[in-house]
Amino acid sequence: MLFNTCSLSERSSWSKHCPQFDNIQLKCLPIDNGSNSIRSVPNACFTRVSPTRIHNPRVVLFSLDALSLLNIRHEVNHLNEQKCIEKTGETNHLVEYLSGNKLWPGSDPTAHCYCGYQFGSFAGQLGDGAAISLGEVVNKQGERWELQLKGSGLTPFSRQGDGRKVLRSSLREFLCSEVRLDYRNIYTTIYQNIVYFHVGNDTIYTVL
């Protein structure tokens, strides 16, 4: 079951350049096939979800080095950040994928279910309340990366939250991931881009 929103023509145009997915962990571990609604997820390590679509997404900033890990750097290496903010036609097409509005062929969006302790007490079911994994990508160097959206909307584990991100934490994590790229012996997550959109008077952020 794939939540794939690419049309056949889009799949053809992206076939040479889109990330190559190989979702081994989803083939080996139990998966729930429910909905995005907040609920209990028994007997599963992951639950399939759909990123919540956003209106008129715009790029705040992006990391070419991180995008190159997915072999899609060439899609944006001739565009500077100002052009991204101005939303040229080509950039707008790419932003739809970077924001989660569209999904690359082979991606299989899931949220991770886990449990643990909080504030000294066993908290029971926790899970990814503001993160959606798009799947595992294998690049041309044979490296395997998990591609994940953060702030892409509700999952069954969002509890009282809305599954979104704010700018301060998005920028902090983006900058920390850039340090990781400069000092290769520091292993952590890597941010590729920050995208924003408006809901009423609020500005909401989602990151990849």
Side-chain angles (χ1 to χ4, degrees):
M1 179 178 180
L2 297 179
F3 293 90
N4 198 325
T5 59
C6 297
S7 67
L8 290 177
S9 61
E10 286 172 333
R11 292 187 190 192
S12 176
S13 64
W14 278 85
S15 60
K16 292 176 59 179
H17 307 305
C18 70
Q20 301 301 305
F21 286 88
D22 181 27
N23 303 315
I24 289 180
Q25 62 182 357
L26 297 185
K27 300 174 184 177
C28 301
L29 297 170
I31 305 176
D32 168 77
N33 289 302
S35 65
N36 286 51
S37 61
I38 299 172
R39 57 190 172 83
S40 176
V41 180
N43 306 318
C45 293
F46 300 92
T47 181
R48 284 192 167 95
V49 292
S50 297
T52 302
R53 290 182 57 83
I54 58 179
H55 176 67
N56 194 25
R58 295 171 180 262
V59 169
V60 176
L61 72 167
F62 58 84
S63 169
L64 289 176
D65 288 337
L67 289 170
S68 68
L69 294 173
L70 301 180
N71 305 131
I72 58 174
R73 174 175 177 151
H74 64 281
E75 295 291 339
V76 293
N77 62 7
H78 64 292
L79 300 171
N80 59 36
E81 292 182 18
Q82 184 59 41
K83 286 184 179 179
C84 283
I85 293 173
E86 292 172 355
K87 285 175 64 61
T88 64
E90 184 173 354
T91 308
N92 189 22
H93 178 70
L94 181 60
V95 169
E96 289 293 301
Y97 291 90
L98 299 180
S99 66
N101 276 0
K102 292 184 178 181
L103 300 177
W104 281 294
S107 62
D108 193 354
T110 57
H112 189 194
C113 179
Y114 54 86
C115 62
Y117 285 80
Q118 287 186 327
F119 312 110
S121 300
F122 184 68
Q125 174 181 285
L126 297 173
D128 290 334
I132 293 178
S133 174
L134 297 179
E136 299 169 78
V137 173
V138 179
N139 63 19
K140 293 178 180 178
Q141 294 73 40
E143 300 170 330
R144 181 177 294 271
W145 297 91
E146 180 181 356
L147 189 58
Q148 187 181 83
L149 290 166
K150 297 191 73 174
S152 52
L154 284 175
T155 77
F157 317 110
S158 296
R159 293 183 283 182
Q160 287 78 39
D162 61 2
R164 296 300 187 186
K165 297 281 288 184
V166 295
L167 181 60
R168 61 181 181 273
S169 59
S170 300
L171 287 175
R172 180 176 63 245
E173 294 181 37
F174 185 94
L175 292 174
C176 288
S177 74
E178 285 297 282
V179 172
R180 180 258 184 250
L181 286 174
D182 288 335
Y183 300 94
R184 294 287 179 170
N185 59 331
I186 302 175
Y187 293 95
T188 183
T189 55
I190 301 174
Y191 272 41
Q192 293 179 11
N193 58 268
I194 300 177
V195 175
Y196 77 92
F197 64 102
H198 296 290
V199 178
N201 294 324
D202 297 326
T203 302
I204 312 297
Y205 296 85
T206 184
V207 297
L208 179 67

